[in-house]
Amino acid sequence: MSKILIIGGGAAGMLASIAAAEEKNEVHILEQNEKLGKKLFITGKGRCNITNDCDMETLFENVISNPKFLYSAFYTFTNQDMMKKLEEWGLPLKTERGGRVFPISDKSSDVIDILQKKMQKAGVHIHLKTQVERILIEDEEFRGVRLTNKEVIKGDKLIIATGGNSYPATGSTGDGYRFAREMGHHITELSPALVPMNGKEEWIKELQELSLKNVAISLKGGKKELYQGFGEMLFTHFGVSGPLILSASSYVGEALKKGEITLNIDLKAALTREQVEDRLLREFEENKNKRWKNVIGNLLPAKLVPVMLEYMGVEEEKRTNEITKEERKRIVNCLKEFTITITGLRGFREAIITRGGVSVKEINPSTMESKLIKGVYFAGEVLDLDALTGGFNLQIAWSTGYLAGKCVKG
């Protein structure tokens, strides 16, 4: 029986502990917070988007950084395996739009509870409020850890599942990167990912809390298109957020280092320009003598009307039968290309995940073991792996955690 230490009681750490305990190991999970799964608790707006019920090809397509590295992890423990396990353990699930999987209860706490019960049943030793100060290495092999209270815990194998830099309020301190560096590992550039964006225009504040559904967006840096997508977005007091924007943030970071970029929003994505113009002509025909400011509300959400009246530059007191062909074209263009200047990404405090991390070139993809230090394994967000929204990042945590847990035996 090997003694396995796991630093971090998040998604990857919890599942790794279960997998390692099932291999007849003595497993100790060291968590610096007062409870397990603190970040997991807030995922999916507190509902916990556990994984995505998609095929394997789609799973890989949604991974942004180093998808090929995940081949063994994803096939060893698939999204379907995760769903099956949770239901077997007593957590009923449901699948929503876009393949997003949630507990039927819509409570992330239920996911954490079911994992904790399984951990306790498997005999995992849980150490809360326990912070690791240093990893003890001898002859390039793991020997144990030293805690901040100077206590030394010896062990045969170590799994580092400390998470990234995102949401520091949940205890994400970046310690895992420090541990990795001290062992000689290279850390790729860290940046916030799946994060809202800052907008330049003053009128953005007037649109705070406005949600737009079924819109298409494109982001450009100069003439280069950086991202295209369709779905839902949200205006905030500082800029834009929502699923579409969070996904786009994974593609625009490098361009934003060079300067501002342009966000184009197609407010009528289901219609061509010609169809939008036909719709506009019908509105004008049905409301011949009405003022333009009283008709635009038939085309847009009420909160957007004042901003768009100014943005379009068409005199709001004009009657619809006075609007010129040139002005009509301008209205159509504005509905199809509502433009915002993006000045930057928000910080780690608002990022769902961290992009960058321990270089996967230095990790064995078949086992998650370090190629530099024998007996040390990595799992989850601490690695240079990230994906789009929709449950894909949690699946990375589940798959890498499970694989590491299964491979620490012996």
Side-chain angles (χ1 to χ4, degrees):
M1 178 186 283
S2 295
K3 184 177 181 180
I4 312 301
L5 307 184
I6 300 173
I7 308 176
M14 285 193 282
L15 201 64
S17 74
I18 295 167
E22 287 175 344
E23 295 299 319
K24 310 301 181 188
N25 293 302
E26 178 190 332
V27 181
H28 294 260
I29 195 161
L30 313 175
E31 169 55 52
Q32 65 181 357
N33 284 318
E34 74 285 357
K35 58 186 176 183
L36 298 175
K38 207 165 181 181
K39 185 177 176 184
L40 195 60
F41 185 74
I42 63 172
T43 60
K45 297 178 181 176
R47 298 171 61 215
C48 192
N49 183 184
I50 298 161
T51 187
N52 195 285
D53 187 9
C54 62
D55 57 33
M56 292 303 288
E57 184 179 355
T58 304
L59 193 58
F60 281 103
E61 285 173 353
N62 278 274
V63 177
I64 302 295
S65 303
N66 303 307
K68 290 180 181 177
F69 174 83
L70 286 164
Y71 190 89
S72 290
F74 275 172
Y75 277 101
T76 298
F77 192 73
T78 69
N79 48 345
Q80 302 300 323
D81 290 334
M82 186 60 192
M83 292 163 64
K84 186 179 178 183
K85 285 265 188 200
L86 288 174
E87 293 198 308
E88 284 176 355
W89 295 343
L91 184 72
L93 306 175
K94 61 180 177 179
T95 301
E96 296 186 0
R97 178 178 54 84
R100 289 169 165 81
V101 178
F102 296 89
I104 281 179
S105 65
D106 281 332
K107 293 179 180 177
S108 55
S109 56
D110 288 349
V111 180
I112 299 166
D113 288 346
I114 209 80
L115 289 168
Q116 279 189 275
K117 285 175 184 174
K118 187 63 183 176
M119 289 166 68
Q120 288 161 355
K121 191 175 180 180
V124 175
H125 302 270
I126 301 170
H127 306 265
L128 300 175
K129 297 181 181 178
T130 303
Q131 189 169 6
V132 175
E133 181 180 76
R134 190 176 175 190
I135 312 299
L136 305 178
I137 307 295
E138 191 179 307
D139 297 327
E140 296 184 349
E141 189 169 347
F142 172 70
R143 297 293 186 224
V145 301
R146 187 173 70 209
L147 306 181
T148 51
N149 65 5
K150 306 309 175 186
E151 178 188 350
V152 171
I153 303 175
K154 293 184 178 180
D156 300 302
K157 303 286 177 68
L158 172 71
I159 299 175
I160 297 175
T162 49
N165 278 341
S166 56
Y167 284 132
T170 63
S172 299
T173 58
D175 280 351
Y177 305 132
R178 177 172 62 83
F179 297 149
R181 281 195 189 97
E182 289 171 354
M183 289 185 279
H185 278 281
H186 174 248
I187 308 300
T188 62
E189 184 180 357
L190 303 175
S191 61
L194 299 184
V195 65
M197 302 182 191
N198 289 316
K200 187 176 185 177
E201 288 74 14
E202 281 296 316
W203 45 256
I204 286 173
K205 294 174 184 175
E206 298 173 39
L207 301 179
Q208 186 176 348
E209 297 183 0
L210 172 64
S211 177
L212 298 177
K213 295 180 180 179
N214 302 318
V215 295
I217 68 167
S218 67
L219 287 115
K220 290 183 178 180
K223 293 182 179 179
K224 184 181 178 183
E225 186 166 82
L226 307 168
Y227 178 82
Q228 265 192 338
F230 176 84
E232 184 177 345
M233 62 171 287
L234 173 74
F235 286 94
T236 68
H237 65 284
F238 56 76
V240 286
S241 187
L244 259 182
I245 300 299
L246 298 181
S247 291
S249 70
S250 293
Y251 294 90
V252 302
E254 288 302 313
L256 279 166
K257 290 177 184 176
K258 300 172 185 175
E260 298 172 347
I261 63 175
T262 302
L263 166 64
N264 286 318
I265 307 169
D266 184 346
L267 297 164
K268 300 293 177 184
L271 304 175
T272 64
R273 285 179 181 271
E274 292 73 20
Q275 288 171 326
V276 172
E277 186 159 15
D278 288 345
R279 167 78 192 280
L280 198 59
L281 286 168
R282 286 199 305 274
E283 289 291 341
F284 287 179
E285 183 63 30
E286 292 169 10
N287 301 280
K288 284 181 181 178
N289 296 311
K290 285 190 177 180
R291 299 187 193 283
W292 167 229
K293 68 177 181 181
N294 296 325
V295 175
I296 189 175
N298 297 338
L299 302 167
L300 294 167
K303 198 163 192 175
L304 190 53
V305 168
V307 169
M308 287 301 284
L309 280 170
E310 188 173 342
Y311 183 82
M312 290 174 173
V314 177
E315 174 54 50
E316 61 182 64
E317 295 296 333
K318 263 193 174 185
R319 298 188 187 277
T320 55
N321 57 9
E322 297 172 338
I323 290 178
T324 65
K325 183 178 180 181
E326 183 184 319
E327 288 173 327
R328 194 173 70 237
K329 292 282 187 187
R330 196 188 311 161
I331 292 168
V332 172
N333 284 338
C334 291
L335 291 171
K336 294 295 284 183
E337 287 188 39
F338 181 35
T339 302
I340 295 172
T341 307
I342 301 298
T343 58
L345 301 178
R346 301 293 283 180
F348 282 110
R349 288 181 179 276
E350 296 170 61
I352 293 176
I353 57 164
T354 303
R355 188 170 197 184
V358 178
S359 173
V360 296
K361 293 176 182 177
E362 299 162 355
I363 307 298
N364 183 336
S366 299
T367 62
M368 295 293 128
E369 186 176 15
S370 166
K371 292 179 180 178
L372 309 183
I373 305 296
K374 189 177 179 183
V376 174
Y377 298 70
F378 291 88
E381 194 181 341
V382 71
L383 290 163
D384 182 13
L385 300 167
D386 65 279
L388 299 180
T389 57
F392 302 105
N393 286 289
L394 265 182
Q395 187 56 48
I396 290 174
W398 305 131
S399 293
T400 56
Y402 182 88
L403 180 57
K406 286 296 176 185
C407 291
V408 290
K409 60 186 177 182

